Amino acid sequence: MNKAELVSKMAEKSELELTKKQIEDALNAFMASVEEALVGGEKVQLVGFGTFETRERAARQGRNPRDPQQVIEIPASKAPVFKAGKVLKEAINK
């Protein structure tokens, strides 16, 4: 499902009869808010749905795919992570 399909699905399920434009604006605001929180080092918990957070990835050595003999240094980084909540896991496993 892409963003346009998600907006359409949300419009169908909306009890407030919001337009697709209003729903897209709300979705964009949600994504920007989550991004801002993650950049600030916070985590975003949506009870029953899941948690968005960042995790540190340590620096490590890897191999160049074009030349497996060549060792390359992969720098440390932060990675966004989503952990599904209990209710979401149960819904998926029905």
Side-chain angles (χ1 to χ4, degrees), residues 59-75:
R60 61 193 190 282
Q61 291 184 343
R63 300 254 179 216
N64 183 344
R66 291 186 183 174
D67 180 10
Q69 301 298 321
Q70 181 185 11
V71 176
I72 57 174
E73 291 296 319
I74 302 169

Side-chain angles (χ1 to χ4, degrees), residues 47-59:
V47 176
F49 184 72
T51 303
F52 297 92
E53 61 185 330
T54 57
R55 293 205 181 129
E56 298 285 334
R57 297 185 73 185

Side-chain angles (χ1 to χ4, degrees), residues 87-94:
V87 174
L88 180 59
K89 285 180 188 177
E90 290 173 352
I92 291 171
N93 288 309
K94 279 187 180 180

Side-chain angles (χ1 to χ4, degrees), residues 6-87:
L6 178 59
V7 168
S8 294
K9 191 71 150 176
M10 290 172 64
E12 288 174 20
K13 295 193 175 274
S14 174
E15 295 176 9
L16 301 174
E17 298 181 19
L18 299 172
T19 66
K20 286 184 181 180
K21 178 65 178 147
Q22 291 170 319
I23 289 174
E24 185 175 6
D25 289 345
L27 182 57
N28 289 338
F30 169 76
M31 292 188 308
S33 298
V34 170
E35 179 181 342
E36 190 176 296
L38 294 177
V39 167
E42 300 176 58
K43 70 175 159 179
V44 179
Q45 276 186 296
L46 303 172
V47 176
F49 184 72
T51 303
F52 297 92
E53 61 185 330
T54 57
R55 293 205 181 129
E56 298 285 334
R57 297 185 73 185
R60 61 193 190 282
Q61 291 184 343
R63 300 254 179 216
N64 183 344
R66 291 186 183 174
D67 180 10
Q69 301 298 321
Q70 181 185 11
V71 176
I72 57 174
E73 291 296 319
I74 302 169
S77 64
K78 293 181 183 178
V81 177
F82 175 76
K83 181 180 175 189
K86 181 180 178 184
V87 174

